[in-house]
Amino acid sequence: MTVPEVLAELGGVSRRTFYRWRELGTGPASFKLPNGELRVWRSDFVAWLRGLEGAAA
């Protein structure tokens, strides 16, 4: 998933917030492509969301 796709899925989270989460290590696992673009595997994104649900319960 691209960063804009992740942000759209999260519904209102800013790009700055996403990159801050990445700095802090609290966001979904991501990787850089050779051209420098950031990507997130959908499976990692879903696992991250499930982890947030578990923490909120």
Side-chain angles (χ1 to χ4, degrees), residues 12-31:
V13 173
S14 72
R15 180 177 287 266
R16 181 174 182 200
T17 297
F18 175 81
Y19 280 100
R20 181 69 176 151
W21 287 343
R22 190 167 179 265
E23 277 180 31
L24 297 172
T26 59
S30 58
F31 61 96

Side-chain angles (χ1 to χ4, degrees), residues 3-44:
V3 172
E5 289 172 339
V6 170
L7 298 178
E9 291 274 337
L10 293 174
V13 173
S14 72
R15 180 177 287 266
R16 181 174 182 200
T17 297
F18 175 81
Y19 280 100
R20 181 69 176 151
W21 287 343
R22 190 167 179 265
E23 277 180 31
L24 297 172
T26 59
S30 58
F31 61 96
K32 279 192 176 183
L33 297 175
N35 65 2
E37 291 184 17
L38 198 64
R39 293 289 191 271
V40 176
W41 290 109
R42 181 166 292 279
S43 58
D44 289 340

